[in-house]
Amino acid sequence: MSIRSKVLRELEKRPRRLGELKSMLGNDKKVQRAVEELASSGRILCKNGAWFAARGGLADAAIPCKLVKLGENFAFAAQADGPDIFIPGRGLAGAMPGDEVLVKLFDKPKVPGSLEGEVLAVTKPRATFVGVVAAEGGKLFLLPDECPFLRLQIKKNAAGGVRAGDKAAVELLERGSDYAGHRAGVAVRFGSAEKARQCVRALLYAAGRTRRFPDKVKAEARAVAEPGPADFKKRLDLRAEPIFTIDSAETKDIDDAISVTACADGWQLGVHIADVSHYVRAGSAMDREAMQRGTSVYFADSVIPMLPRQLSNGVCSLNEGADRLAFSCIMQLDKTGAVQNFRFEKTVIRSRVKGVYSEINALLAGTAGEALVEKYAPVAGQLPVMAQLYQRLDAARKARGAIDIETGEAKLLLDEDGRCIGLEKRRRGLSERMIEEFMLLANQCAAKLARSHQLPFVYRVHESPDAEKTGRLKDLLHIAGLNAGFKGEAPTVAELAAILDATRGQPLERAVHMGVLRSMAKACYQPAPKGHFGLALEDYAHFTSPIRRYPDLAIHRILSDFCAGVSGRELESRYADFAAQASEASSAAEVTAMQLERSADSCYKAEYMAAHLNETFPGRVSGVSRQGFFVELDNTAEGFVKAETLGGEPELVEGFSLRAGGRRWQLGDQVLVKAVGADVALGRVDLELAE
């Protein structure tokens, strides 16, 4: 009789705890595995730490879910298809965020019409958690980042040398019937939780992101050689053209270059993109790893690359003076900036200059010194032509009503030890906006080509706002004293653009711009062309960043075969499933990367504020709740003013302002605050009014 059968037989007699089963049947590892397999199939369930056989359809009535949020006295479990289920604290049975669980719905929920239930079993436990180590009563505990109110006790013989105040990752070695019964062992000790760099290392570890690549991937990357004459055959040779790149000064993974020429009837614009698909072949170890990563992750002064550095910073990067393989989109534009025709070509290029945004902005403004003028001499004639073309493109963008949201992106200034010593609001100058418009054009051309030829493809899709989000936006605009009377049920992109322009540079800019952003659907990747609402475009895809985004690499592969003459039927056979798979994987990876980047920024901002406690800062109210209000400081850090520090009973007014102690604060109000606390590990800043 197998161990699984023995376990099931014993549990059919009566409920037993895991330790009891191990004592009875011996071979702890096999018993543990048998219990996990039986639980995963729903044949056994666990309640209050005791396992029992599912009878009378109990397992069939249970709903497979994933615990997605854990509060101090409640949780939410997400179904694969359906609304989240509310779980009261008494029904959690020690389940942790990320656990896959079976949930039984209550027949009579406390809130009529809601879904409420209890956890019957943890079918697939999550093992690893990251947090801060605390000491209490001679014992060490991990306070998980996702639920810092919990205390996971660390076993003495598995502490790994951690101390209170460390950032660490632990594995749950034992699970009790409640949280107090869980026991953990330290997997990684990162260092002080007061240092943002160590906290970000922990964030990356928890998300499974690492700079290290598998051995097979590294071996493939090492085998890639610099391009030579054999690689240039059958390519359009553009090395004599004044092509150059424009990026930030610190950029090392350069995947786009440009060339612009004035013509009698308009302009010729060339957008030349690193031909990554030439090196990263379908089905290779590098390709599988790139799809899994989905995107590079950027934070502070670091990057977790999608591709090994031999490619991302080396053979694929369009480095100054180096012969590089490119995939070029060459466009003919009329005097209004409209694309009249375009073509995609496999090319070989040589960048004349490694352009830097700030330097080109100075040249365009006429404030550059002699050294910069000399550096850019090989491409100096293109700069005024680029500016002229940009003016036409910018006018066309505004005419179609494309949305331009100010998100308040921060530039973090670090010292030699990686500690954040300064915060600045990142500004987009003329050169940044020019490059953005040129890349948009190439992306549109790629999507237009794919749609017109019905190619299997990965489109960048942004759908229009739904009714519920539109309602919340209308409430915000009403409170802000702005016109919320949209012509239809949902706002048009032009109506939203007008609202953004009306508040640009005004006290309500941040609140309204973020409100508009939250009202819109999340952009994603899909294999069907549904257009891009925010850009007011019918055709859109991501073509211009294949070093750092997998969707771009995916469509390069498809377009390469199309340009090589592969038939439509063969393209459909090769890429239909691939396009769907790449779209889904890339959308999920993008969400993870954005969350990581935001969390990393918050840690660094909290580190900066921790060095400036008891100092005062100007800012504006950026969010309100009954518990207090958020303030975004002029330096881009955001903190929270607790209602209990305001005096009097707090009252939330229409969801957008807070009244307490005879005063009222609403979105956009300017305030002077004092920094009173900063938790680097959680990226949290506590403020009090300084007035």
Side-chain angles (χ1 to χ4, degrees):
M1 183 181 292
S2 69
I3 289 289
R4 282 185 61 177
S5 297
K6 290 179 181 178
V7 168
L8 188 58
R9 183 186 63 184
E10 293 301 327
L11 296 182
E12 285 173 343
K13 296 176 183 176
R14 67 178 180 83
R16 298 183 187 275
R17 293 182 178 274
L18 181 60
E20 187 179 358
L21 287 170
K22 289 179 178 179
S23 298
M24 293 174 61
L25 303 175
N27 200 326
D28 290 0
K29 290 184 179 180
K30 287 188 177 181
V31 171
Q32 178 84 40
R33 191 180 306 117
V35 168
E36 291 173 356
E37 291 173 354
L38 289 166
S40 182
S41 65
R43 298 186 68 185
I44 63 172
L45 304 171
C46 182
K47 189 168 184 179
N48 298 327
W51 291 95
F52 60 95
R55 295 190 184 93
L58 186 58
D60 294 335
I63 302 171
C65 297
K66 187 172 187 176
L67 207 71
V68 291
K69 179 178 175 58
L70 179 64
E72 291 193 52
N73 298 301
F74 68 93
F76 284 98
Q79 305 180 65
D81 184 18
D84 290 355
I85 301 171
F86 178 82
I87 313 290
R90 59 184 170 81
L92 281 165
M96 296 291 293
D99 283 352
E100 292 185 18
V101 297
L102 289 177
V103 174
K104 180 175 181 287
L105 294 178
F106 293 149
D107 294 331
K108 296 181 179 180
K110 285 189 176 180
V111 179
S114 68
L115 292 181
E116 298 177 17
E118 63 177 335
V119 173
L120 292 179
V122 176
T123 57
K124 187 176 180 181
R126 173 183 164 188
T128 305
F129 296 87
V130 169
V132 178
V133 177
E136 185 178 323
K139 298 176 182 178
L140 292 175
F141 298 85
L142 185 91
L143 282 54
D145 289 345
E146 299 149 282
C147 39
F149 47 84
L150 279 188
R151 280 169 163 70
L152 301 178
Q153 186 174 335
I154 298 171
K155 298 182 74 170
K156 284 187 177 181
N157 62 355
V162 296
R163 295 174 294 186
D166 278 349
K167 193 78 177 182
V170 304
E171 293 182 3
L172 281 188
L173 304 177
E174 300 172 11
R175 282 186 173 245
S177 59
D178 55 22
Y179 300 110
H182 294 345
R183 295 293 180 268
V186 172
V188 183
R189 177 190 175 193
F190 297 103
S192 173
E194 295 181 356
K195 295 183 178 180
R197 175 161 287 185
Q198 307 305 340
C199 294
V200 172
R201 284 180 60 212
L203 287 171
L204 294 168
Y205 178 88
R209 296 296 181 114
T210 174
R211 291 183 177 86
R212 296 178 181 176
F213 287 86
D215 290 341
K216 286 186 178 180
V217 175
K218 290 190 290 186
E220 287 183 0
R222 286 194 297 267
V224 173
E226 286 284 322
D231 299 302
F232 304 156
K233 293 178 180 178
K234 297 183 180 180
R235 285 180 178 263
L236 179 64
D237 193 337
L238 299 178
R239 285 176 289 180
E241 299 295 318
I243 293 170
F244 68 113
T245 65
I246 309 177
D247 286 281
S248 58
E250 59 272 15
T251 299
K252 296 178 181 178
D253 50 351
I254 305 172
D255 46 19
D256 58 83
I258 57 164
S259 57
V260 184
T261 305
C263 308
D265 55 352
W267 294 268
Q268 177 175 284
L269 170 64
V271 174
H272 313 281
I273 307 301
D275 192 3
V276 180
S277 64
H278 176 84
Y279 301 101
V280 182
R281 300 294 186 176
S284 66
M286 280 197 295
D287 182 49
R288 292 193 298 271
E289 183 71 13
M291 178 183 277
Q292 181 180 331
R293 293 181 178 229
T295 179
S296 297
V297 180
Y298 296 87
F299 57 92
D301 60 347
S302 300
V303 58
I304 306 298
M306 183 181 79
L307 296 169
R309 293 187 184 277
Q310 289 95 330
L311 277 75
S312 62
N313 294 5
V315 69
C316 290
S317 185
L318 306 181
N319 298 327
E320 180 181 353
D323 291 345
R324 287 290 181 259
L325 306 183
F327 201 176
S328 299
C329 179
I330 300 171
M331 297 162 273
Q332 301 296 328
L333 294 83
D334 65 20
K335 291 184 178 181
T336 69
V339 177
Q340 297 304 297
N341 56 69
F342 63 88
R343 71 186 194 274
F344 286 88
E345 295 266 10
K346 291 289 182 135
T347 59
V348 54
I349 68 170
R350 182 185 297 153
S351 174
R352 300 291 183 88
V353 179
K354 182 184 186 299
V356 176
Y357 289 129
S358 58
E359 295 174 352
I360 291 178
N361 288 336
L363 285 164
L364 292 170
T367 60
E370 290 184 11
L372 282 186
V373 172
E374 183 178 350
K375 172 183 174 180
Y376 287 91
V379 297
Q382 291 197 71
L383 298 183
V385 179
M386 289 168 53
Q388 292 169 4
L389 174 56
Y390 167 72
Q391 290 174 358
R392 304 295 192 280
L393 297 177
D394 185 52
R397 180 189 182 112
K398 291 176 179 175
R400 70 175 188 264
I403 289 174
D404 187 9
I405 295 178
E406 297 294 340
T407 58
E409 186 180 350
K411 182 177 181 180
L412 309 175
L413 307 177
L414 309 185
D415 65 14
E416 293 180 354
D417 296 325
R419 185 176 291 273
C420 187
I421 57 172
L423 300 174
E424 295 178 357
K425 186 169 288 188
R426 197 179 292 275
R427 306 285 183 183
R428 284 189 301 160
L430 179 56
S431 65
E432 288 94 334
R433 293 178 182 274
M434 285 193 305
I435 294 300
E436 180 180 318
E437 287 297 333
F438 298 161
M439 298 304 117
L440 282 172
L441 279 182
N443 288 336
Q444 292 173 63
C445 290
K448 185 174 183 179
L449 176 66
R451 184 172 60 83
S452 62
H453 289 273
Q454 297 184 319
L455 304 181
F457 216 59
V458 178
Y459 294 93
R460 183 65 169 174
V461 171
H462 186 219
E463 299 186 77
S464 57
D466 63 26
E468 182 180 350
K469 290 183 177 180
T470 297
R472 289 201 293 267
L473 177 61
K474 285 182 176 180
D475 291 341
L476 168 62
L477 297 177
H478 175 73
I479 297 300
L482 298 169
N483 179 22
F486 304 130
K487 292 181 180 179
E489 290 185 6
T492 65
V493 66
E495 287 173 329
L496 292 182
I499 290 167
L500 295 172
D501 288 341
T503 55
R504 207 175 303 278
Q506 302 300 312
L508 279 166
E509 177 187 85
R510 173 67 171 169
V512 171
H513 281 228
M514 294 311 295
V516 169
L517 182 63
R518 294 188 185 104
S519 76
M520 295 191 295
K522 174 79 177 68
C524 64
Y525 299 101
Q526 293 187 23
K530 298 181 180 178
H532 196 291
F533 175 82
L535 295 173
L537 293 172
E538 183 180 358
D539 299 308
Y540 200 63
H542 276 167
F543 168 80
T544 55
S545 295
I547 290 177
R548 64 182 181 89
R549 287 190 308 228
Y550 193 79
D552 307 53
L553 172 57
I555 68 173
H556 272 227
R557 188 172 293 149
I558 297 167
L559 290 175
S560 294
D561 278 1
F562 173 80
C563 292
V566 176
S567 70
R569 180 177 296 179
E570 179 60 24
L571 288 171
E572 183 71 19
S573 174
R574 288 184 192 180
Y575 295 117
D577 291 342
F578 168 72
Q581 183 184 5
S583 297
E584 183 178 359
S586 298
S587 295
E590 180 186 36
V591 170
T592 299
M594 290 178 63
Q595 290 171 341
L596 279 172
E597 290 169 353
R598 281 198 296 264
S599 297
D601 275 3
S602 295
C603 290
Y604 278 105
K605 290 178 181 180
E607 181 178 59
Y608 172 80
M609 295 301 294
H612 295 273
L613 297 182
N614 297 316
E615 296 180 22
T616 56
F617 298 87
R620 293 190 182 277
V621 176
S622 56
V624 294
S625 71
R626 192 177 300 279
Q627 289 72 39
F629 56 84
F630 289 94
V631 176
E632 183 183 37
L633 307 183
D634 290 354
N635 64 16
T636 75
E638 188 173 58
F640 191 68
V641 178
K642 296 178 181 177
E644 62 198 49
T645 67
L646 301 175
E649 185 67 25
E651 179 187 0
L652 190 62
V653 182
E654 296 181 305
F656 296 99
S657 63
L658 183 70
R659 185 183 292 140
R663 296 186 60 186
R664 178 171 170 169
W665 297 269
Q666 68 179 26
L667 292 174
D669 282 355
Q670 189 165 10
V671 292
L672 190 66
V673 292
K674 180 171 67 174
V676 296
D679 189 322
V680 178
L682 297 179
R684 188 177 65 201
V685 177
D686 295 322
L687 305 171
E688 289 183 3
L689 289 176
E691 300 145 335

